[in-house]
Every structure is written in structure tokens, then in C-alpha cells.
Amino acid sequence: MKNPNNVLLCGFEAFDGEQLNPSWLVAERVAQENLAEKEGAFAVNAVQLPCEFDRSLIVLTEAIERHQPSLVLCLGQAGGRPDISVERIGINCMDAPIADNAGSQPIDSAVIEHAEAAFFSTLPIKAIVQSLRDEGIPASVSNSAGTYVCNQVLYGVLQYLARQDLSDVRAGFIHLPYLPEQALSHRGAASMSLDVMVKAIRLGLRVAIDTQKDIRLEAGQSH
Amino acid sequence: MKNPNNVLLCGFEAFDGEQLNPSWLVAERVAQENLAEKEGAFAVNAVQLPCEFDRSLIVLTEAIERHQPSLVLCLGQAGGRPDISVERIGINCMDAPIADNAGSQPIDSAVIEHAEAAFFSTLPIKAIVQSLRDEGIPASVSNSAGTYVCNQVLYGVLQYLARQDLSDVRAGFIHLPYLPEQALSHRGAASMSLDVMVKAIRLGLRVAIDTQKDIRLEAGQSH
Amino acid sequence: MKNPNNVLLCGFEAFDGEQLNPSWLVAERVAQENLAEKEGAFAVNAVQLPCEFDRSLIVLTEAIERHQPSLVLCLGQAGGRPDISVERIGINCMDAPIADNAGSQPIDSAVIEHAEAAFFSTLPIKAIVQSLRDEGIPASVSNSAGTYVCNQVLYGVLQYLARQDLSDVRAGFIHLPYLPEQALSHRGAASMSLDVMVKAIRLGLRVAIDTQKDIRLEAGQSH
Amino acid sequence: MKNPNNVLLCGFEAFDGEQLNPSWLVAERVAQENLAEKEGAFAVNAVQLPCEFDRSLIVLTEAIERHQPSLVLCLGQAGGRPDISVERIGINCMDAPIADNAGSQPIDSAVIEHAEAAFFSTLPIKAIVQSLRDEGIPASVSNSAGTYVCNQVLYGVLQYLARQDLSDVRAGFIHLPYLPEQALSHRGAASMSLDVMVKAIRLGLRVAIDTQKDIRLEAGQSH
């Protein structure tokens, strides 16, 4: 049912008072460049997700049904983080520190009631981190995607694929730093250029497609 | 089978080149003070856990069988964190950034093969955070206990209690900052006095015992 | 003219929306404890400075004239710093990031027009840092007291003593972290207990009085 | 005597175990691009400074005598800082946290014995910061260039120009973050792309040349 030639690459709309969201700029650019270069034999379909708990998973699952991708990579903004962080796990919890773009702010609700506590990303997260570092791009594994819409989407897509018996469709989440122009409003915050992020995600997609078995790499955290 | 009057309070031995571990100093002091003051109607049993993947859960589950506690609170050191952080979830993953005290360094192994991906703490984590803040002690909810022995213990105890059908025994994990004397060797790291940590854990235990249903408190993270 | 038995210990009133300022709480406590214990042969006179550019130096120099101290130690709050930081230098610049308590916000003005660009603290800053570390208290040398009232006071007192030919009166500045209860409102900020800060300043005063020639200690910064 | 058409742009060689130093890469690139584009009516002369206390100022002053610049801008690496930081002041102190490239590690020595305590940068630091921010590049004023070779060079050039009565030659220092490839070895450190840094320094030079009187901009620090 899935299409081995299709990648679904999601980014978010801006939220929290920002004028833009690097995750969407990156998704859009990667899709455009892929189209222009007819790179490889796969198509990158960029889809923008609303930063709304009530609609994010609806838009995402509709996109999956439409595009039948073999790979789903969702991108999000992690303002303040200094590097590309590849998420390890999505948890069944919504605990919003701020209201979403529709004004909703769930506290300690389940993403999916009575479902599993968590799902691990099915991407080769260590291989992605290693390949980025090999290209001089700071990258790490993150053990928490937070408890906001990003985590909801990560948990949601993994739970959806498990429930739909689409275990051959790989899915995961990568968090991006602020763009330099965003860091202006967050004194002391790290940032990363759009060019570097686009390069990172193009590389990450390629590795995600090509890697069958993840590599062994020390990238854990003591706490 | 469990004893409603018994609390099991675990701390870790020193690791990673440290001479001490605040989690054990705190556990010991809380147990001593509780004994001295005959506070309430419950006993605090302090048990030291080895910082060893192969032995930590054996020591912990033996202590549970011996003491038959109604509450298990594990403490650990989170060097660099500035506040008392109450963990939300333990995940089924061991990914050690450094070798443990026995020289073992698992990379991306399961804590328990073929078991659930994660378990949520069964402590009233928001009520604990709120009560600490009410007493002027910086505290927060953490969404990741890391991928080292601390997380192994958190996941391990929750999985054990679920498997043993001991769902009426509550369990969770609280991470502590460095002590001031430890921060000397980690320039720029935050620290917290032993007195403040002991006060925090005494209060946390009391809240964990007294609170049936957790409170609603905004304490999530956007990423 | 100066009194070898007198120490002037200054702290600031609260500013920037805070309810308290650790520097004043510490100054007050150190003076009280010193009085109670009749420690050594010197008196500690605690004076509160207003967080106002127009009045801080007036209050400070009046206190010097009144108490004729042989040592002037000013304390201030450095919210977010994790340790006791002993300032190396005061600069002839006021560049306020926020208005002071009187609503004044100078931008790039001189503390004293046509005066020297800077004065080095005349305290034995390295000996103070070493003695604190020896007692297990995190401490460091800071190379900037900022450009707000704290720096104005540090520069101002050193310039005043130089101009008055009171070079035998030593003077300097120590910045203190937030108290734990302040850190509640600054998520992620480090803090330090009042007890630890009081101990640190008592020790620092003793070292400042007893040390004739500062020690050699590596405590510089690459940037 | 000075040449109104000449800019001296200094960068440092690598130090502290790094393989490269962004300050030199940027200086070189800015000089090359300026030459290629014949931008404006001035020449940019890039000079590499040794990271050695004993030689840095010799090389720098020789370059000033050779090129007779009307503007001296020195660049340095500030590993860990997230933005372009324009230094406000150089202080008469060498206090090296690590040995320099020749093995020298002065502790609390003067840059120039019996000279002034400090000199303020004579660049329009606020105008530079504002112009960078206007272009979406994170930038700030720094109140300390540290106590290593960077500060020695900043103090040294300002003291030299004052002593030589070359007060019409403007001089200052800008610190640069790590490059992304450097941040790989400093987990958690911020970084900035070479392209962004080159753009920033080109812009900064232009502003430094064109601005007679610095602007009024809030960019101070409370501590």
C-alpha cells in the first residue's frame, strides 16, 4: 500500500509569537531542491502541520493516506537547542506550557487514550547523527521531544502506523534550532543557518532511506 | 502484601569520578531524621543502589520484597541541573554515555527485552513540584531521566511493579543537582545545599503519601 | 583617618521586580553574626545601598566618611550566575539594561566624567576565591561587574578612594547568585542558599582582612 | 601618517587544541572578497596573530606600522558564545586559564606595566551591533574580552595607539562563536556558519568606517 518512492516531510507553522518556523522553511526547501535535482528515485512531499493539538494529527494522517509514504519525517522548532536533535521517543502525554495556535492548552492529557505509554522512533537515529557529524554539522540524540505539539505528532504518527499495521513505514522526528533572525529576540539563544539545516535534513533523509539497521554509537545521556 | 507504613527511599553510590552522590546522602539523612522524629506513622527505609546496570535492579527488587513498601522513591544525581526535577517517565532503553561502576556500557539495549516502551511515574509529580515551590525550593517536572542507570532504575521499578501486579505501590524518581562541593569541579554548574535537598525530599515523600489524585499544574515543555 | 577595626559591608535593596536582594540579606546577617560573636577585633557595619544611579554613590561615600573603614566590601545580586563571583575590575561606564529604582536608565554615560577608564579591585580576589573553594563553596573571579548600578558602585568606590588618597583602604565587590526562592520565578536559573552565602562572605571578609599579598591562582578566562 | 584607505583586520591562529580559528578564516575571507569586489575605496589587509602573549603585540604593531591603517579590527574566537560579540573594553591584565601556543601562561600580570587599567574600544560598538541585528545576525556588546591573548591584543592595540598619539586610528575587537564543525567537539556549544560571520564582519567594517558618532542603543548588562 505504501509507496517506496515517497517521503513525507512535515514542518510546523509558526507558533509562540514567532513570525516563522524553521521546520517549515526547511521542509519546503528540501522538497523544492529534491524536485529540482530529481535526486534519487524518491519524491519528497512537504506538508505543513498546524500547531494545534486538535488538528495536527488529522492533517498528518490525511497526508499519510494521500501520499502513501515509506518514510515520514517530521521536523519541529526547538528554540534554544544548539544543534540538530534527533528524537528517540514520543510519549503519550500532552502537557502544554503555552496555548497552541487555536488557544488549546491540554495539561497531562493522553495523546491517545488507553494507548501505549510511548513509541520509539523507527528511524536509524544514530546513523543520522553520525552522518551529520561527519559533515561537520552539530547533531545529537534527544531523549525528550517535550510535551507539546511536536511530541504529540511524534507519538501520534508512531501510534497510528502501529495501529494501522504499517510497521514497514518508518517514522521519526528531528528538532531544529532557531534561525539566526529568530535568536535576535531571544538574547543568548543559539541558532543555526537555514543552509546548514537544509543540508542536514537532506542528508538525514538520505540516511534514513538507505540505512536498514541502525549503527552503534555512543550518544546517550546520564540524565 | 505491601506494608502501608513503609517507604523505600533509594539513593545511588557515587559514579563518574565523583567522591559522593547527593542522592545517597539525602536518602540516608531523610531516613535518619524520620526515625528520630517518628514523623507520622510510616518508616523510611534507605537503600543504596549500585551504579551498575547488572546489579541495580536486583538490589532494588530485593529491597522491595524485603520491605514491602507502599511507596518507592528513587533519587539520583543530575549534575548540572539547577533544581529538584521530578521525573515523569522511564523508558525501556539503556544507552550509557560512560561506563558504569562495573565497567559496563550498554548502547541502545532494552532494560527489559520485549517489554513496554515506557512507564509513567505513578507519583503525583505535579503536586510534589507545587509543594516544593510553595516552600521556596526550585523544582520542575523532567520529561527524561536520561538513558543511564537512573532511567534504568525508574523504568525497572515501574515495570516490576506492573508485572507483579503491585499497581497499588506507587513509584517514581527525583533527580537532584550537584552539591556545592561537587560544583567546584564543574565550573559553571549549578548546585544546591544538602539541607535544601533533604527538606525537599522529606516534603516530597509526605506529598507522595498524602496525595491521592495529582493536581493540575502547568509544568510541561515545548521541546 | 581610617579605622583599622571597621569594615563597611554594603548590600543593595531589591530591584528589577524582585521582592528581596540576597546581597542585603547577607550583609545584614554577617553584621549581626559578627556582633553576636564579637569575632576578632573588627566591627562590620552593614549599609544598604539604593539601586539608583543618582544616589548609590552618595550613600556609599557618606558611609565611608561616617565609619572610616579600612575595608569596603560591596555585595550585589547577579541573577543566573551559579557561584560566588569576586569582581576583578570596575569600569567607567553606565549602560543600564533596565531602569533603576528611580526610573533612571543611563546609556553609555561615564560614572565619573573625565576619570580613569577603570580601576582594579584592591581586594585579594584570588585568595578569597581559593578560601571559598577550600570550604566547598563554588566561587570564581569575574572580569565584568556589568554596566548597571553594581559596576557603578565598584568603580565609584575605587575612584573615590583613589581621589581621596585613601589607597590604604581596600575595596571590592562580590556578586551573589539568586536565592532559591528567587529562582522559582526564573526557571532554569541556578541559586544558592542564604546560609552558604553568609558563610562565604564571612570567610571572604576574614581573608580580605588577613591577606596582605594576593596569591597566585589560575582563575582567568579565555574570553 | 595613517592611510585613510587602509583597514587592518586581524585574526588569530588556532589554539587550545582546535584545528582552526574562525577569526582567521573570517579575516582572510573578508580580505579576499573585498579585493575581488573592489568594494568602496578602502583596502582590507588581513594579518594573522600568533596566540602567544610574547609575540601577539609585536606582530600587531608591526602590521600597524607597515599598513598605516585608519581602522584596526581584531577578531577572536569565543567558544561557547552564541552570537557576534563586540567588545567594549580591554583591561590591563593577563590571567591565562590555559597556556598559550608557546607554552606561556601568565597569571595576573599587566599587559603593559604601569599603564592605564583599561581602554575603551574606539569603534562605534552600538552602531555595529544594531546594523548586524538589522540584517538578522545575532549580536551583542560584551563587557569583557576575558584575560587571555584576545584581551591582551585589545588592550595592547588601544594602549599603543594612545601612546603613539594615533587617536584618529580607531580600533576594537569582535569575538566570534565556534564554527559548526568546532561545536562537534564541544557538545552543547552554540555555533555560527562561516558565511554568517563573514557577512557580519564585512558589515561591521563598513559601519565602523562610516559611523562618526556612535548611536544610542540599550545593550548593557545588569551584571
Side-chain angles (χ1 to χ4, degrees):
Chain A
M1 183 158 359
K2 72 181 168 62
N3 186 333
N5 299 318
N6 272 352
V7 166
L8 180 61
L9 183 62
C10 301
F12 278 97
E13 63 182 3
F15 69 102
D16 196 19
E18 298 289 328
Q19 297 303 308
L20 51 82
N21 189 319
S23 68
W24 175 240
L25 299 188
V26 168
E28 217 175 10
R29 271 267 305 271
V30 169
Q32 286 166 354
E33 293 186 6
N34 185 72
L35 192 65
E37 300 173 19
K38 301 192 187 312
E39 180 186 19
F42 62 92
V44 175
N45 305 286
V47 169
Q48 191 185 67
L49 302 180
C51 187
E52 299 178 23
F53 286 104
D54 284 349
R55 294 184 53 236
S56 54
L57 289 177
I58 295 171
V59 174
L60 176 57
T61 52
E62 280 176 359
I64 292 174
E65 282 158 20
R66 186 165 65 251
H67 294 293
Q68 303 286 328
S70 61
L71 181 76
V72 182
L73 176 59
C74 299
L75 308 177
Q77 166 190 307
R81 288 195 193 167
D83 63 1
I84 304 281
S85 51
V86 186
E87 297 294 343
R88 188 194 293 272
I89 192 166
I91 68 174
N92 193 8
C93 175
M94 300 186 293
D95 192 5
I98 53 172
D100 70 11
N101 284 358
S104 174
Q105 186 176 8
I107 305 286
D108 294 335
S109 310
V111 176
I112 308 287
E113 288 290 340
H114 310 302
E116 291 84 344
F119 284 94
F120 286 101
S121 167
T122 50
L123 301 185
I125 60 173
K126 297 290 183 78
I128 294 172
V129 165
Q130 184 62 62
S131 69
L132 266 57
R133 291 183 184 167
D134 288 347
E135 289 298 308
I137 303 173
S140 61
V141 169
S142 164
N143 296 306
S144 171
T147 53
Y148 198 54
V149 187
C150 289
N151 171 73
Q152 182 211 25
V153 158
L154 173 55
Y155 178 87
V157 68
L158 293 164
Q159 195 270 349
Y160 170 86
L161 294 172
R163 193 185 65 209
Q164 299 289 325
D165 222 1
L166 291 167
S167 64
D168 51 347
V169 180
R170 291 172 127 183
F173 199 102
I174 294 182
H175 261 123
L176 305 174
Y178 281 136
L179 287 163
E181 54 265 44
Q182 293 181 286
L184 293 180
S185 316
H186 304 275
R187 205 57 48 77
S191 62
M192 190 176 274
S193 298
L194 184 61
D195 285 349
V196 176
M197 298 205 234
V198 167
K199 181 180 171 189
I201 298 308
R202 288 185 59 160
L203 185 55
L205 274 184
R206 169 55 61 200
V207 171
I209 289 166
D210 290 348
T211 308
Q212 288 314 306
K213 184 170 161 22
D214 202 359
I215 64 169
R216 181 180 167 87
L217 172 74
E218 292 177 22
Q221 286 180 304
S222 60
H223 57 263
Chain B
M1 184 157 1
K2 71 180 170 61
N3 187 332
N5 300 318
N6 272 351
V7 166
L8 181 61
L9 183 62
C10 300
F12 278 97
E13 63 183 3
F15 70 101
D16 195 18
E18 299 289 329
Q19 297 303 309
L20 51 82
N21 189 320
S23 68
W24 175 240
L25 298 189
V26 168
E28 218 176 9
R29 270 267 304 271
V30 169
Q32 286 166 355
E33 292 186 7
N34 185 73
L35 192 63
E37 300 173 18
K38 299 190 187 316
E39 181 186 20
F42 62 90
V44 175
N45 305 284
V47 169
Q48 192 185 67
L49 302 180
C51 188
E52 300 179 22
F53 286 103
D54 285 349
R55 293 184 52 236
S56 54
L57 289 178
I58 295 171
V59 173
L60 175 57
T61 52
E62 281 176 0
I64 292 175
E65 283 158 19
R66 186 166 64 253
H67 294 293
Q68 302 288 326
S70 61
L71 182 76
V72 182
L73 176 58
C74 298
L75 308 176
Q77 167 190 306
R81 289 195 193 167
D83 62 1
I84 303 281
S85 51
V86 185
E87 297 294 343
R88 187 193 295 271
I89 193 166
I91 68 175
N92 193 8
C93 175
M94 300 186 293
D95 192 6
I98 52 171
D100 70 11
N101 285 357
S104 175
Q105 187 176 9
I107 306 286
D108 294 335
S109 309
V111 176
I112 309 287
E113 289 290 339
H114 310 302
E116 291 84 344
F119 284 94
F120 287 102
S121 167
T122 50
L123 300 185
I125 61 174
K126 298 289 183 80
I128 293 172
V129 165
Q130 184 63 62
S131 69
L132 266 59
R133 291 182 183 168
D134 287 345
E135 289 297 308
I137 303 172
S140 61
V141 169
S142 165
N143 295 307
S144 171
T147 53
Y148 198 54
V149 187
C150 289
N151 171 72
Q152 181 211 26
V153 157
L154 172 55
Y155 178 87
V157 67
L158 292 164
Q159 195 269 348
Y160 170 85
L161 294 173
R163 194 184 64 210
Q164 300 290 326
D165 222 2
L166 291 167
S167 65
D168 51 348
V169 179
R170 291 172 127 184
F173 200 101
I174 294 180
H175 261 123
L176 305 174
Y178 281 135
L179 287 163
E181 55 264 45
Q182 292 181 287
L184 293 180
S185 316
H186 305 276
R187 206 56 49 78
S191 62
M192 191 175 274
S193 298
L194 184 59
D195 286 350
V196 176
M197 297 205 235
V198 167
K199 182 180 170 187
I201 297 307
R202 289 185 59 160
L203 185 55
L205 275 185
R206 168 57 59 198
V207 171
I209 289 166
D210 290 348
T211 307
Q212 288 315 306
K213 184 170 161 22
D214 202 359
I215 63 169
R216 182 179 167 89
L217 173 73
E218 292 177 21
Q221 287 180 303
S222 61
H223 58 263
Chain C
M1 185 157 2
K2 71 179 170 59
N3 186 332
N5 299 318
N6 272 351
V7 167
L8 181 60
L9 183 62
C10 301
F12 278 98
E13 63 183 3
F15 70 101
D16 195 19
E18 298 289 328
Q19 298 302 309
L20 51 83
N21 188 320
S23 68
W24 175 240
L25 299 189
V26 168
E28 216 176 9
R29 270 267 304 268
V30 169
Q32 286 166 354
E33 293 186 6
N34 185 73
L35 192 65
E37 300 173 18
K38 300 191 186 312
E39 180 186 19
F42 63 90
V44 174
N45 306 284
V47 169
Q48 192 184 68
L49 302 180
C51 187
E52 300 179 22
F53 285 104
D54 285 349
R55 293 183 54 236
S56 55
L57 289 178
I58 295 172
V59 173
L60 176 56
T61 53
E62 280 177 359
I64 292 175
E65 282 157 22
R66 186 165 64 251
H67 294 294
Q68 303 288 329
S70 61
L71 182 75
V72 182
L73 176 58
C74 299
L75 308 177
Q77 166 191 307
R81 288 196 193 165
D83 62 2
I84 303 282
S85 51
V86 185
E87 297 295 342
R88 187 193 295 270
I89 192 166
I91 68 174
N92 193 8
C93 175
M94 300 186 293
D95 192 6
I98 53 172
D100 70 11
N101 284 357
S104 174
Q105 186 175 10
I107 304 286
D108 294 336
S109 310
V111 176
I112 309 287
E113 288 291 339
H114 310 302
E116 290 85 344
F119 284 95
F120 286 102
S121 167
T122 51
L123 300 186
I125 61 174
K126 297 290 183 79
I128 293 172
V129 165
Q130 184 63 62
S131 69
L132 267 57
R133 290 182 183 167
D134 288 346
E135 289 298 308
I137 303 172
S140 61
V141 170
S142 164
N143 295 307
S144 171
T147 54
Y148 198 54
V149 187
C150 289
N151 171 72
Q152 182 211 26
V153 158
L154 173 55
Y155 177 86
V157 68
L158 292 164
Q159 195 270 349
Y160 170 86
L161 294 172
R163 194 185 64 209
Q164 299 290 326
D165 223 2
L166 291 167
S167 65
D168 51 346
V169 179
R170 292 172 126 182
F173 200 102
I174 294 181
H175 261 122
L176 305 174
Y178 282 136
L179 287 164
E181 54 265 44
Q182 293 181 285
L184 293 180
S185 315
H186 304 275
R187 206 57 48 78
S191 62
M192 191 176 274
S193 298
L194 184 60
D195 285 350
V196 175
M197 297 205 232
V198 168
K199 181 179 170 188
I201 298 308
R202 289 184 59 160
L203 185 55
L205 274 184
R206 169 56 61 199
V207 171
I209 289 166
D210 290 349
T211 307
Q212 289 314 305
K213 185 170 161 21
D214 202 0
I215 64 170
R216 182 180 166 90
L217 172 73
E218 294 177 20
Q221 287 180 302
S222 61
H223 58 263
Chain D
M1 185 158 3
K2 72 182 171 59
N3 187 332
N5 300 318
N6 271 352
V7 166
L8 181 60
L9 183 62
C10 300
F12 278 97
E13 64 182 3
F15 70 102
D16 195 19
E18 298 289 328
Q19 297 302 310
L20 50 82
N21 188 319
S23 68
W24 175 241
L25 299 188
V26 168
E28 218 176 9
R29 271 267 304 269
V30 169
Q32 286 167 353
E33 293 186 6
N34 185 72
L35 192 64
E37 300 173 17
K38 300 190 186 312
E39 180 185 18
F42 62 90
V44 175
N45 304 285
V47 169
Q48 192 184 67
L49 302 180
C51 188
E52 299 179 22
F53 286 104
D54 285 349
R55 294 185 52 237
S56 54
L57 289 178
I58 295 171
V59 173
L60 176 57
T61 53
E62 280 177 359
I64 292 174
E65 282 157 21
R66 186 165 63 253
H67 295 294
Q68 304 287 326
S70 61
L71 181 76
V72 183
L73 176 58
C74 299
L75 308 176
Q77 166 191 306
R81 289 196 194 167
D83 62 2
I84 304 282
S85 51
V86 185
E87 296 295 342
R88 187 192 294 270
I89 193 166
I91 68 174
N92 193 9
C93 175
M94 300 185 294
D95 192 6
I98 53 173
D100 70 11
N101 284 357
S104 174
Q105 186 175 10
I107 304 286
D108 294 334
S109 310
V111 176
I112 309 287
E113 288 290 339
H114 311 300
E116 291 85 344
F119 284 95
F120 286 102
S121 168
T122 51
L123 300 185
I125 60 175
K126 296 290 183 78
I128 294 172
V129 165
Q130 184 63 62
S131 69
L132 267 58
R133 291 182 184 169
D134 287 347
E135 289 298 309
I137 303 172
S140 61
V141 169
S142 164
N143 296 306
S144 171
T147 54
Y148 198 54
V149 187
C150 289
N151 171 72
Q152 182 211 25
V153 158
L154 173 55
Y155 177 87
V157 68
L158 292 165
Q159 195 270 348
Y160 170 85
L161 294 172
R163 194 185 63 209
Q164 299 290 326
D165 222 3
L166 291 167
S167 65
D168 51 347
V169 179
R170 291 172 128 182
F173 200 102
I174 294 181
H175 261 121
L176 304 174
Y178 282 135
L179 287 163
E181 54 265 43
Q182 293 181 285
L184 293 179
S185 315
H186 304 276
R187 205 57 48 78
S191 62
M192 191 176 273
S193 297
L194 184 60
D195 286 350
V196 176
M197 298 204 234
V198 168
K199 181 180 171 190
I201 297 308
R202 289 185 59 159
L203 184 56
L205 274 184
R206 170 54 62 199
V207 171
I209 289 166
D210 291 348
T211 307
Q212 288 315 306
K213 185 171 159 24
D214 202 359
I215 63 170
R216 181 180 166 89
L217 173 73
E218 293 176 22
Q221 287 181 302
S222 60
H223 58 263

